[in-house]
Amino acid sequence: MSDLSNSRRKVFASGSLIFEEGAAGSEAYVVEYGRVAVYKTVQGRHISIGTILQGGIFGEMALIDDQPRMASALAEEETACVVIGKERLTEQLEKAPKGVRVIVGALLGNIRLMGAELAEARIVLSETEPS
């Protein structure tokens, strides 16, 4: 997966939605420069899951487990990314031993659950904070 020589590159303007929670995913991204906010929408509110900076990867989970995007990604400033297509990632995963693929699948399930729980917890905490 370290060979990105055949990958494409995309530049996103500040404020651009890269992908939306619930959408199908066919690409993962590695940030060359810029900053990406990753968030879930709960009760109509955007709940931060994290920030991706140079060298960080995002969007890979939907490629591996064929589930919809668990969160949205937004360019907080002009951001350039190397794009990794699903076929390239699938090709690399198929080379891995079956046990590794099973572990990766289990980890992704746990991460998705934790992301949902984190977003819900942040909503509850914000509702209990004194104004």
Side-chain angles (χ1 to χ4, degrees):
M1 215 161 65
S2 61
D3 176 21
L4 299 176
S5 59
N6 295 328
S7 299
R8 296 176 297 138
R9 184 174 186 263
K10 286 186 181 178
V11 178
F12 300 95
S14 179
S16 296
L17 186 64
I18 299 170
F19 57 75
E20 190 169 15
E21 180 177 353
S26 61
E27 299 174 332
Y29 304 87
V30 178
V31 178
E32 286 186 339
Y33 68 81
R35 184 162 75 189
V36 176
V38 178
Y39 63 89
K40 290 187 71 58
T41 303
V42 179
Q43 298 176 9
R45 294 167 58 186
H46 290 183
I47 307 301
S48 175
I49 298 296
T51 302
I52 312 298
L53 303 173
Q54 182 179 22
I57 187 169
F58 64 100
E60 75 286 356
M61 290 175 51
L63 302 189
I64 296 170
D65 66 6
D66 287 322
Q67 296 294 312
R69 299 282 192 194
M70 72 165 275
S72 297
L74 178 85
E76 291 188 315
E77 59 191 42
E78 182 177 273
T79 301
C81 296
V82 173
V83 179
I84 303 168
K86 181 178 179 109
E87 64 286 341
R88 295 227 18 246
L89 189 59
T90 300
E91 180 182 295
Q92 293 299 319
L93 282 174
E94 287 174 354
K95 294 178 184 177
K98 183 178 181 185
V100 170
R101 294 191 305 260
V102 169
I103 291 169
V104 167
L107 288 172
L108 291 181
N110 291 339
I111 291 168
R112 285 181 180 278
L113 180 60
M114 287 187 298
E117 289 173 350
L118 173 63
E120 291 290 338
R122 287 191 172 166
I123 287 287
V124 169
L125 288 173
S126 70
E127 291 171 351
T128 60
E129 290 177 353
S131 300

